[in-house]
Amino acid sequence: MTDSPPFVNAHCHLELSGFSEPVRWNGSFPDWIAEVLRHRNQPDYSVETAVRRGEAELLQTGTVAAADIVQTDLPAAIPAANPRLTTRRFLELIAWTPEKAESRLARAEEFLQRNPSAGLSPHAPYTVCPELLDGVVSLSRKYRVPVAMHLAETPDESELLRHHCGPLLEMMRRADPHYNPKKTLSGGRPLDYLKQLSQAHRVLVIHGNDLDEEEIGFLASRRDNMSAVFCPVAHRYFGRKTYPLRQMSDAGVLVALGTDSRASWTGGMLSMRETVRVLLEDYPEMTPEEVLPMATVHGLMAAGLV
Ligand SMILES: [Zn+2]
């Protein structure tokens, strides 16, 4: 696409590109996660085929670089589909107890030694205990690699952080009856996580839908190593409340854009052009001149690709 700007996708899960349709959204985030896992864990589901499909779609729609979250080593081991697409793989890490954190951190360090241009992704506040978060921040500094974490994504997450109850607690208790939010959560609000993450080499805050003014100010003050990644298509799909894009942009937050995964994608091929189109439709107060850097150079800066 010679007329395309060099799009950069700052958040995707290419291993979910085997989904031909988005997962049905019934208003329950735990139900949605369960459905994603059910689909992803089917015996005939091929991660390699999915990653290849996702990369091919991004290439065809003019994307030159992508920050991709992976659950296993496999996508990182898949040779680059095309030298025109630079893909930085972030290993997803989940551990809600200190015992699990130790083994996950050992695995993360091995992954970084094998893949020096990769990154780490402690999944989200409800699945990442303080020991894992601390360890990831240390590894990020030691290996000078970026960290991507889903944060302030859903009202359920806010409820769990503030009140230690709600649908995400129920979901975690179904997975582990001993799940204890007092031991797993690193704080009572996203700011507690932002402060800890700010010690990492570089940080992508994925979504940040529910960040308040103080948290947006904090991100802006750490613009040299922290960014927020907005995914307009997924945001519309989930029917989230208005993203604080104007506030973030005016405050000076480094905002990048992502497609997120095919499990919440409604726009045909995975495409940053479609991402920008949806953003401009839903946020008419934003100008193309403001948005284009978010879809290009901000992504490179956010993921440490420049
Ligand atoms: Zn994600």
Side-chain angles (χ1 to χ4, degrees):
M1 292 181 65
T2 51
D3 61 339
S4 174
F7 285 125
V8 178
N9 186 348
H11 181 57
C12 54
H13 300 256
L14 292 181
E15 62 190 16
L16 299 180
S17 302
F19 291 45
S20 45
E21 296 287 325
V23 169
R24 195 172 64 88
W25 171 239
N26 65 3
S28 160
F29 195 60
D31 284 0
W32 183 85
I33 290 178
E35 195 55 22
V36 171
L37 293 176
R38 194 187 65 74
H39 193 115
R40 160 81 168 66
N41 293 335
Q42 282 175 355
D44 59 346
Y45 189 88
S46 163
V47 167
E48 180 157 0
T49 305
V51 169
R52 286 282 181 237
R53 176 182 176 182
E55 287 185 342
E57 290 184 358
L58 290 178
L59 271 165
Q60 281 183 56
T61 54
T63 298
V64 298
D68 178 30
I69 299 202
V70 299
Q71 292 177 341
T72 69
D73 291 20
L74 179 61
I78 299 172
N82 187 310
R84 284 188 297 126
L85 179 68
T86 301
T87 310
R88 177 161 253 175
R89 313 281 189 197
F90 289 71
L91 182 67
E92 183 175 274
L93 297 161
I94 290 178
W96 56 84
T97 63
E99 300 74 40
K100 275 191 189 161
E102 199 174 327
S103 64
R104 297 299 182 277
L105 287 167
R107 182 171 167 239
E109 185 152 20
E110 284 168 25
F111 178 81
L112 291 179
Q113 286 166 350
R114 280 196 305 276
N115 306 284
S117 64
L120 297 177
S121 180
H123 170 245
Y126 49 95
T127 54
V128 172
C129 63
E131 293 79 6
L132 181 61
L133 194 55
D134 274 353
V136 166
V137 168
S138 298
L139 286 174
S140 165
R141 292 168 72 93
K142 179 175 174 184
Y143 290 92
R144 302 181 64 78
V145 297
V147 171
M149 183 170 187
H150 297 86
L151 186 66
E153 183 176 6
T154 63
D156 294 351
E157 182 188 318
S158 300
E159 191 180 6
L160 181 65
L161 284 181
R162 283 174 201 273
H163 307 300
H164 293 187
C165 64
L168 280 178
L169 179 66
E170 290 158 24
M171 178 185 85
M172 296 308 295
R173 285 259 163 89
R174 282 194 292 276
D176 175 3
H178 302 294
Y179 179 84
N180 183 348
K182 288 197 181 77
K183 290 193 175 158
T184 299
L185 300 177
S186 294
R189 57 183 293 211
L191 186 62
D192 298 321
Y193 287 84
L194 293 178
K195 284 181 176 168
Q196 201 174 352
L197 286 166
S198 70
Q199 303 303 310
H201 174 63
R202 182 172 294 284
V203 182
L204 297 93
V205 174
I206 308 302
H207 305 305
N209 300 330
D210 298 322
L211 295 178
D212 66 19
E213 204 178 322
E214 186 183 4
E215 290 158 346
I216 288 171
F218 183 86
L219 268 186
S221 73
R222 300 293 196 284
R223 184 185 165 94
D224 53 341
N225 78 324
M226 298 187 87
S227 57
V229 183
F230 176 39
C231 301
V233 175
H235 203 84
R236 180 193 274 189
Y237 180 71
F238 288 119
R240 306 257 187 253
K241 67 178 191 190
T242 305
Y243 192 79
L245 188 58
R246 170 52 64 202
Q247 296 94 305
M248 284 198 191
S249 186
D250 288 353
V253 174
L254 184 71
V255 179
L257 303 179
T259 58
D260 215 331
S261 81
R262 270 198 155 275
S264 55
W265 178 261
T266 53
M269 283 198 290
L270 276 182
S271 154
M272 290 300 293
R273 183 181 294 280
E274 174 68 4
T275 296
V276 169
R277 189 192 70 74
V278 168
L279 188 157
L280 291 172
E281 206 169 272
D282 289 351
Y283 298 82
E285 71 277 16
M286 300 299 296
T287 66
E289 291 71 29
E290 288 175 302
V291 172
L292 197 59
M294 297 179 184
T296 54
V297 66
H298 288 189
L300 291 179
M301 292 159 72
L305 290 164
V306 285

